[in-house]
Amino acid sequence: MPEPRAAVKRMAPYSPPTGGRDGKLRLDFNENTVGCSPAVVEFIREKVSASGLSVYPEYVEAKAELAAFFRVPEDSLLFTNGTDEAIQVMVNTYIDDDDDVLLLRPSYAMYRFYSEVAGASIREIDYRRDDLSFPLDELLGAIRPETKAILIANPNNPTGTGLDTASICRILDAAPNAAVLIDEAYFEFSGVTVLPQLDGRPNLFVSRTFSKVYGMAAMRFGCLFSQPGNVKFLHKAQSPYSVNTLATLAARAAIRDCDYVNRYVDEVLAARASAYEGLHQLGISTYKSEANFILFEAGERAIPLRDELRNRGVLIRDRSYEIPGCVRVTIGTRAQIERFLAELNSIW
Ligand SMILES: Cc1ncc(COP(=O)(O)O)c(C=O)c1O
């Protein structure tokens, strides 16, 4: 048997519970709970052909359209196979064995995952336990001249808490030698972005995904932005065809139907207000969310509650292994949240 690298042997296996979700109310993965714009499916149907599928992907048209949509120069943009590949490419470009990487805890699991695969020396800063707000002073204090990367989700998953632009700029100033990723997977719900800061910030990397508000998690399409001098190196570390043709078609159609996304955001924000109200009426403590999910305190009942809701056809996510007593519910439409609250009411 071949011997795996020591870094891989050290890793804990990571397998999110993605099986058996069909037909259930999926409030567990922060996806769009009603699906992508019908215009996306129509465009793929119209464009897909046997001969088209026989050709390796071409990105010329899509690059121009997406760069215009995001208001960045084309050479500041890299297409990726979801945010996950954006993280992987960044880590592959900048991190060697034992390099110093700063992460927040708890946060999106893939930052740690790819840093571990790379053999990085990882230090984690805890979100503040009282309100799960961002530990800005603690992070600034932890940055060293040799820090090679800092990976931050804004808003953060699973806490839902966000960071303002001025604070991000302080981190960028304090870590001039580090590649700083601001993962804006939930940007559409928070409205906070540092994408316009790219110009003057050579250590800034921003990622966006089409897996969340756009309802295209199955397509695996994301974008990674940075200054052209950085993107040149990211390109070198990426497989040339990792984003497939159907995903590229889907993204082009999705950005043409902004109304669909805007309407969905409005619906989720209204549903989030109802969810807070319903949870508070039951005496349940919650954390302030800038995204399409809420983390709440279920105490000892976290896992039984998740299981009982699952038996009733409603999926939520246990997070008690990283924040004791906490579970996370994705916010969908008002009708879906009504159903969630009704089921919760009957078992709480
Ligand atoms: C902060 C954050 N980034 C990225 C992702 C995943 O994005 P993608 O599907 O684009 O790989 C998630 C998914 O849960 C997330 O919470």
Side-chain angles (χ1 to χ4, degrees):
M1 230 160 92
E3 188 68 10
R5 291 172 49 231
V8 174
K9 285 204 290 191
R10 276 196 302 270
M11 291 172 67
Y14 175 66
S15 42
T18 44
R21 301 171 69 226
D22 211 22
K24 302 204 165 62
L25 177 54
R26 291 176 284 98
L27 306 181
D28 51 349
F29 273 81
N30 304 340
E31 296 155 334
N32 180 317
T33 57
V34 296
C36 67
S37 156
V40 169
V41 179
E42 243 169 71
F43 191 62
I44 293 175
R45 280 215 180 98
E46 190 187 304
K47 292 278 182 186
V48 77
S49 67
S51 71
L53 290 181
S54 69
V55 179
Y56 281 97
E58 285 179 20
Y59 305 120
V60 176
E61 276 175 289
K63 255 297 168 53
E65 290 174 26
L66 276 113
F69 175 75
F70 287 111
R71 299 200 173 93
V72 296
E74 282 184 46
D75 53 3
S76 287
L77 163 62
L78 189 82
F79 288 167
T80 61
N81 193 289
T83 308
D84 290 356
E85 198 206 11
I87 302 163
Q88 183 184 30
V89 170
M90 251 193 84
V91 168
N92 286 349
T93 305
Y94 294 101
I95 303 303
D96 271 327
D97 262 342
D98 299 325
D99 276 352
D100 186 49
V101 172
L102 274 174
L103 305 179
L104 283 296
R105 184 170 56 196
S107 192
Y108 183 49
M110 289 293 116
Y111 308 143
R112 192 178 168 97
F113 177 93
Y114 286 117
S115 303
E116 281 186 331
V117 174
S121 164
I122 300 167
R123 290 183 295 138
E124 291 180 307
I125 313 294
D126 288 318
Y127 272 79
R128 303 226 168 96
R129 185 58 190 100
D130 53 346
D131 58 358
L132 296 178
S133 60
F134 190 92
L136 180 62
D137 292 334
E138 295 87 328
L139 177 67
L140 290 172
I143 293 168
R144 299 173 181 158
E146 68 270 22
T147 300
K148 291 295 288 287
I150 306 174
L151 310 178
I152 296 171
N154 190 39
N156 185 42
N157 174 20
T159 61
T161 43
L163 190 58
D164 57 61
T165 302
S167 302
I168 296 172
C169 289
R170 287 182 63 191
I171 297 167
L172 292 165
D173 287 337
N177 303 323
V180 179
L181 175 69
I182 305 298
D183 172 352
E184 297 184 342
Y186 304 100
F187 149 74
E188 292 82 359
F189 302 102
S190 73
V192 176
T193 178
V194 284
L195 202 46
Q197 311 280 329
L198 273 191
D199 247 356
R201 299 280 182 185
N203 56 340
L204 173 61
F205 296 74
V206 178
S207 61
R208 294 281 185 88
T209 183
F210 284 70
S211 299
K212 303 299 178 187
V213 73
Y214 286 95
M216 289 167 33
M219 298 307 278
R220 314 304 303 129
F221 188 90
C223 291
L224 180 58
F225 305 90
S226 192
Q227 291 194 350
N230 297 330
V231 170
K232 223 171 47 194
F233 288 110
L234 296 170
H235 261 302
K236 287 179 79 174
Q238 185 188 31
S239 146
Y241 307 118
S242 57
V243 173
N244 74 68
T245 301
L246 296 184
T248 311
L249 289 172
R252 288 173 60 198
I255 56 171
R256 287 184 212 147
D257 195 2
C258 289
D259 281 353
Y260 185 84
V261 165
N262 293 339
R263 276 199 305 274
Y264 186 72
V265 170
D266 289 346
E267 178 65 28
V268 166
L269 296 184
R272 193 174 70 189
S274 316
Y276 273 124
E277 207 179 298
L279 289 164
H280 294 161
Q281 271 169 12
L282 288 172
I284 294 173
S285 303
T286 57
Y287 293 92
K288 185 173 183 303
S289 170
E290 308 285 338
N292 65 334
F293 54 85
I294 294 177
L295 192 73
F296 65 91
E297 297 269 357
E300 308 247 292
R301 296 160 74 179
I303 292 173
L305 179 72
R306 181 218 37 205
D307 293 345
E308 186 56 31
L309 283 170
R310 187 183 179 94
N311 292 339
R312 292 161 180 256
V314 179
L315 303 179
I316 64 167
R317 198 77 185 268
D318 168 52
R319 310 306 299 198
S320 59
Y321 57 91
E322 53 187 2
I323 316 171
C326 282
V327 290
R328 189 191 69 198
V329 59
T330 299
I331 306 301
T333 63
R334 279 169 287 189
Q336 289 170 334
I337 289 305
E338 251 174 54
R339 169 156 175 226
F340 158 72
L341 288 171
E343 299 291 3
L344 182 64
N345 257 297
S346 63
I347 54 178
W348 186 252

